[in-house]
Amino acid sequence: MSDRYCVFGHPIGHSKSPQIHTAFAAQSADTMTYTAIEAPKDDFAGAWREFVAAGGRGANVTVPFKEDAFRLCEELSPRARRAGAVNTLVLGKDGRTFGDTTDGIGLVRDLQYHGVILAGARVLVLGAGGAVRGVIEPLLAEGPAEVMIANRTAEKAAGLATDFAALNDGQTRLHGGGFDAVTGPFDVVVNGTSASLGGDLPPLPDDLFAPGATAYDMMYGAKPTVFLVWASERGARPVDGLGMLVEQAAESFYQWRQRRPDTAPVREMLRQALTDNA
């Protein structure tokens, strides 16, 4: 009998996770199945318990359930505890549920895949919601010279910087503020806002990017987001979040199977599918 895994979301029909994990499993001929489950908005915990009762061993969790997943876990990784959210559930041999967040690792590994050097860099992160909260710790671990968190609500960005101050060893200037406090140039700008979903753009200065800078949008699609188009026009190299999706999935797969899949062919497969459907 094959091990069962899934991704929970609401809605979930758009998810590429089944395609990604099926491809990962095929690399090592793993006997496992991976499906998408639309959990009821008011009973995520019940959906997880039902899945476990049917033989489920682990799951990915996407919106709007990452905080629900955090609350149901009996054990949490330190990074998940600090992020306040969980995107990876692992059923232990003792029947206890362990939760982790792999989004930040996915972002850092994707930036590294694209040749971005974070050590000593000036990094700007746009937004202060759950998506951003999950990536601050891995970014700090790379030793940038500066990480600024910018948000429409300055107090929320400043509070987020304060929450992670204890992880800063002093070599990184970590701070937060409003969009009006942003002064470039930055080497890496990460858009973690939901503005791209609506075709909007945060209010940013034109001199945001240093020479050779990378503009990264956590969103992705068949066409560049508004943010990436804007950044390209100002000389930055655009990178979307498709690779982050694959890399965070690879870390989840490792948590479950203790094997690290080759992400390159899966990236190529998904990118080609986006191109074909454009």
Side-chain angles (χ1 to χ4, degrees):
M1 186 176 186
S2 63
D3 292 337
R4 294 187 62 196
Y5 301 89
C6 76
V7 57
F8 288 106
H10 191 113
I12 198 60
H14 66 286
S15 176
K16 292 181 170 51
S17 292
Q19 192 176 358
I20 292 170
H21 284 283
T22 298
F24 286 163
Q27 291 179 6
S28 52
D30 269 33
T31 304
M32 60 175 277
T33 60
Y34 189 107
T35 57
I37 297 177
E38 185 168 302
K41 285 187 176 181
D42 59 352
D43 191 19
F44 172 77
W48 167 246
R49 288 192 295 268
E50 182 178 338
F51 181 66
V52 169
R57 301 297 305 168
N60 287 125
V61 183
T62 187
V63 292
F65 298 124
K66 292 185 180 183
E67 292 181 358
D68 295 279
F70 176 86
R71 287 189 290 268
L72 74 77
C73 288
E74 294 145 307
E75 298 178 48
L76 291 162
S77 69
R79 62 193 179 202
R81 192 177 300 278
R82 281 187 283 267
V86 159
N87 80 331
T88 302
L89 295 172
V90 184
L91 185 68
K93 292 181 180 178
D94 58 359
R96 292 167 63 85
T97 300
F98 171 79
D100 194 10
T101 178
T102 66
D103 288 331
I105 291 176
L107 170 65
V108 168
R109 288 184 180 159
D110 192 31
L111 287 169
Q112 292 169 340
Y113 178 88
H114 288 282
V116 176
I117 298 173
L118 291 167
R122 291 192 72 198
V123 180
L124 173 65
V125 184
L126 306 174
V132 169
R133 190 174 189 90
V135 305
I136 299 301
E137 180 176 351
L139 283 174
L140 288 174
E142 296 300 310
E146 178 181 1
V147 172
M148 179 181 182
I149 304 166
N151 191 54
R152 291 187 187 278
T153 306
E155 293 78 8
K156 190 172 183 181
L160 191 52
T162 299
D163 289 346
F164 286 88
L167 296 179
N168 191 6
D169 60 7
Q171 67 178 341
T172 302
R173 182 188 175 212
L174 174 63
H175 61 115
F179 289 131
D180 58 353
V182 173
T183 56
F186 288 92
D187 303 300
V188 181
V189 179
V190 178
N191 183 18
T193 73
S194 58
S196 291
L197 292 174
D200 296 324
L201 185 71
L204 300 168
D206 285 330
D207 59 352
L208 189 63
F209 301 103
T214 297
Y216 191 99
D217 200 323
M218 291 187 188
M219 303 297 176
Y220 66 90
K223 297 180 180 179
T225 65
V226 171
F227 170 72
L228 293 182
V229 171
W230 179 86
S232 298
E233 292 170 347
R234 285 152 184 81
R237 178 179 60 146
V239 179
D240 70 14
L242 186 65
M244 176 180 173
L245 175 69
V246 176
E247 295 295 341
Q248 64 82 24
E251 181 64 18
S252 295
F253 189 89
Y254 175 76
Q255 297 271 1
W256 300 325
R257 314 297 292 181
Q258 288 74 58
R259 280 188 286 278
R260 295 199 179 277
D262 182 2
T263 58
V266 182
R267 287 168 169 270
E268 293 170 8
M269 173 187 70
L270 292 181
R271 184 66 67 188
Q272 186 60 52
L274 278 179
T275 300
D276 291 344
N277 293 326

